[in-house]
Each structure stands twice: as C-alpha cells, then as structure tokens.
Amino acid sequence: MNMKDFAVGAIAGAVAGAAVVEAVNRADRNVPAEKVLDSVKSAFKKEGPIEGSWIVMKTEPFRQKAVQLDVYRGGLTREIEGVFEEYEFAADAKTGTVVEMTKI
C-alpha cells in the first residue's frame, strides 16, 4: 500500500465519520426552550395580554398512557377582566407541541 492510497482511505473515513456524527446530532436536537415559550405565549396573546411567563430550560421525562417523551415545563399568567389566571404546560422537547395544559 502506498502513501496515496492510505491518504485517500483516511480522508474518506474522516468524511464518513463526520457525516455520521452530524446526522446523529441533527436527529437528537431539541427545540430551544425559549422558542417553545414564545409559541405558547403567542397562542395566549390572541386572547389577551400576558402578565408573566416562565419555562424550565432542562427537559424532564413525561409519560401519558403508553406515550413517553421528554418535555419542557413552563407556565404563564394573564389577566382577563381584572382576574388573574395561571396556567402550567408541558411541551414536547423535540417538536415544541404542547402535550398538557392545566389551569391552576
């Protein structure tokens, strides 16, 4: 085996390895927590102003019947006709879809 064949093989291996790492990282990414919170706030703002909001930046496991996924937990407060309403939610970390909403 000469040096040229070795170099071509090494470069091809490095490129293939980098492609695999990128594919795994891309498939494993979560939606940023801030983006999830902005989406929930946008939906609530259609009904009135938001007084406050929060979200936990770290995901936690969530199970509902046979479905198990990682979620962000968050909440918000709004005022409707002088009465404050508080809500808590769980949103799928992969898609940002709200999977649970509870009025407190």
Side-chain angles (χ1 to χ4, degrees):
M1 175 190 300
N2 63 26
M3 194 57 137
K4 183 179 177 184
D5 291 339
F6 177 78
V8 168
I11 291 171
V15 169
V20 168
V21 168
E22 178 64 26
V24 167
N25 286 341
R26 187 172 296 162
D28 196 36
R29 289 190 183 147
N30 290 334
V31 174
E34 299 91 353
K35 187 173 181 181
V36 172
L37 183 58
D38 288 343
S39 175
V40 173
K41 286 170 57 176
S42 291
F44 270 82
K45 283 181 182 178
K46 293 175 184 174
E47 298 178 1
I50 304 293
E51 295 295 321
S53 62
W54 59 273
I55 193 162
V56 178
M57 304 298 271
K58 186 176 179 183
T59 62
E60 66 179 59
F62 175 82
R63 184 178 183 106
Q64 191 170 41
K65 301 195 190 244
V67 176
Q68 184 168 348
L69 39 97
D70 289 331
V71 298
Y72 292 116
R73 292 273 181 187
L76 55 87
T77 304
R78 68 180 181 176
E79 185 179 358
I80 302 291
E81 298 178 4
V83 178
F84 287 97
E85 296 180 341
E86 293 183 48
Y87 294 87
E88 288 187 353
F89 65 87
D92 182 359
K94 296 273 187 245
T95 65
T97 304
V98 174
V99 294
E100 181 181 67
M101 178 71 68
T102 307
K103 184 177 179 182
I104 300 174

